[in-house]
Amino acid sequence: MRIVQKYGGTSVGTIEKIKTIADHLIKVQKEGNEVVVVVSAMGKMTDVLIGKAKEITERPDRRELDMLMSTGEQQTIALLSMALKHKGQEAVSLTGSQAGIQTTGTHTKSKIKSINKDRIEKHLKDGKIVIVAGFQGINEAGDITTLGRGGSDTSAVALAGALGCQCEIYTDVDGIYTCDPRVHAGAKKIDKISYEEMMEMSNLGAGVMEVRAVELGKKFGVPIYVGRSLGEKNGTYIVEKEQIMEEKLITGLSINENVLMVNLQNLYNKPQKIANIFSALGKQDVNVDMISQSQSVEDMVDISFTCPATEEDLLDKAVEMIATQNPALKISKNQDLIKVSVVGVGMISHSGVAGKLFEIFGEKNIKFYQVTTSEISISFTMDKDRKKAAVDAIAEAFNI
Ligand code: ADP
Ligand code: ASP
Ligand code: MG
């Protein structure tokens, strides 16, 4: 059998851990498997590298940041390959580019465009364990790009798709829980979750799996397992929804802390004016999320939207353009917010979830600013300091 395994930052956080993973990989290969391993940077290395860049400037150039961040994963692939070779196992470390991973789009949040798997296939045929740097690839200009935080998951699933095999994501929790177990200690482990629900949970902030990884898994039919590194195999399988028998109204709760809300006050309520604003944001590749608009008063409206706080530099460039086009506009930003969402396919056929949430927030006096819904989720932006109150109340009400 062929298999792609991915080990996250904590799992490769020390040399001792890398050596232990090497032993494990040798065992997996000896059992008759072709093994491709995707690794993250060791421990908090990516944060350390970003911290260094920020010692130079609060807004490092995104191309150079990619150049810097990608070195984190390169350290791990080299060390793991050395460990394997030292134990007598043939292995080869490959950067994203060497592994044939072509990317496109804005630096630090690029997408995988294609994978040329020839080199990996050749090494597998030669009996080597192939170790690929996660989180990175090479774009049309021949520059190294990264895939957004948590992007090693995406590298792993994309490789599994290209190689036609399953993908195992090894991390520092026992699997996917109804809520981040670090935020809500009573969260329950989920045995099976559909691609759709996991995509929604990830997109709304569940950092355990990167959203594009799940998207690619669905697109290419890659079976994904998520579990604890070197632990028992009792984690979570991400599968097609037809394979899930259990019917639950709410599957999980996600929290997104990477939220920036922008308020635009005093805007002419002309469709073209509003279109220009969002087109300026689009041009800078700002990922606009929740949008709300006030009632028009004397032809003037207020508009609020959210975007990732980590895109503030892109946002500011767009805002500069917007301000010149609309001199009377008052623009303000709020970073003290989070987005709390509940997710569940049960919402397609059952109503009342929104009502229950409004009731809970009323009872606990939790103020929220925006609400958005999809077929399988409801999200609220609220003040950061209300996180615990909101999570505890929702978890209790929906048995999460
Ligand atoms: P890795 O470095 O292995 O990729 P991450 O830190 O990216 O690890 O992801 C694992 C973390 O995701 C966990 O430690 C947990 O705190 C967090 N997490 C957020 N939401 C969930 C969830 N619903 N289930 C499990 N873990 C979650
Ligand atoms: N090292 C990168 C990060 O910390 C990618 C990853 O771990 O998935 O975001
Ligand atoms: Mg991760």
Side-chain angles (χ1 to χ4, degrees), residues 51-318:
K52 286 187 179 169
K54 291 210 165 164
E55 280 180 36
I56 294 175
T57 161
E58 227 354 86
R59 302 264 168 98
D61 179 86
R62 286 182 180 247
R63 179 191 180 276
E64 305 310 333
L65 194 56
D66 271 350
M67 191 63 96
L68 181 67
M69 287 193 296
S70 62
T71 63
E73 271 68 14
Q74 276 171 235
Q75 294 179 14
T76 323
I77 55 170
L79 290 166
L80 180 56
S81 191
M82 275 176 208
L84 285 163
K85 287 179 180 176
H86 178 69
K87 291 172 194 289
Q89 168 66 47
E90 289 213 63
V92 60
S93 64
L94 300 175
T95 63
S97 160
Q98 290 172 325
I101 300 176
Q102 274 286 334
T103 58
T104 189
T106 305
H107 274 286
T108 75
K109 51 178 203 163
S110 289
K111 295 195 162 73
I112 295 177
K113 192 168 71 175
S114 62
I115 294 180
N116 179 345
K117 60 178 179 147
D118 295 352
R119 185 158 177 192
I120 294 181
E121 290 280 5
K122 185 186 163 296
H123 288 311
L124 286 174
K125 215 184 217 158
D126 293 342
K128 290 182 182 161
I129 291 183
V130 181
I131 305 148
V132 180
F135 183 47
Q136 58 171 265
I138 191 155
N139 70 9
E140 304 87 347
D143 285 330
I144 298 174
T145 71
T146 63
L147 306 173
R149 297 306 305 269
S152 296
D153 297 336
T154 315
S155 310
V157 177
L159 282 168
L163 295 165
C165 65
Q166 58 176 313
C167 186
E168 297 176 350
I169 304 282
Y170 289 108
T171 183
D172 61 356
V173 271
D174 285 327
I176 294 158
Y177 282 72
T178 50
C179 175
D180 185 342
R182 286 181 213 273
V183 176
H184 177 57
K188 301 170 182 70
K189 196 171 68 197
I190 301 169
D191 293 332
K192 277 186 190 172
I193 186 168
S194 66
Y195 290 107
E196 287 78 4
E197 282 179 306
M198 193 60 230
M199 255 188 265
E200 198 83 349
M201 281 192 53
S202 296
N203 195 31
L204 295 171
V208 61
M209 274 298 283
E210 213 281 325
V211 60
R212 251 174 294 147
V214 191
E215 224 172 277
L216 290 176
K218 162 99 186 136
K219 186 166 166 194
F220 296 109
V222 177
I224 304 174
Y225 169 82
V226 181
R228 187 179 292 276
S229 177
L230 305 173
E232 272 172 52
K233 212 139 181 222
N234 58 354
T236 306
Y237 290 87
I238 308 177
V239 298
E240 290 294 349
K241 56 179 177 296
E242 291 72 26
Q243 293 178 38
I244 297 171
M245 301 310 238
E246 194 192 2
E247 284 259 341
K248 269 193 89 182
L249 181 56
I250 300 299
T251 303
L253 191 169
S254 288
I255 300 135
N256 184 355
E257 312 219 20
N258 182 18
V259 178
L260 171 62
M261 185 163 80
V262 182
N263 296 306
L264 306 174
Q265 283 173 296
N266 236 8
L267 187 69
Y268 274 112
N269 192 8
K270 296 256 170 20
Q272 193 53 50
K273 282 264 174 212
I274 295 169
N276 289 346
I277 287 177
F278 288 97
S279 119
L281 291 162
K283 270 198 195 114
Q284 294 300 333
D285 204 11
V286 177
N287 192 356
V288 174
D289 185 20
M290 303 170 110
I291 303 173
S292 58
Q293 181 177 330
S294 68
Q295 285 282 343
S296 173
V297 179
E298 292 177 3
D299 252 6
M300 305 300 272
V301 285
D302 296 347
I303 288 187
S304 309
F305 63 87
T306 60
C307 71
T310 43
E311 292 184 6
E312 196 176 2
D313 58 330
L314 304 175
L315 172 82
D316 284 351
K317 283 187 198 155

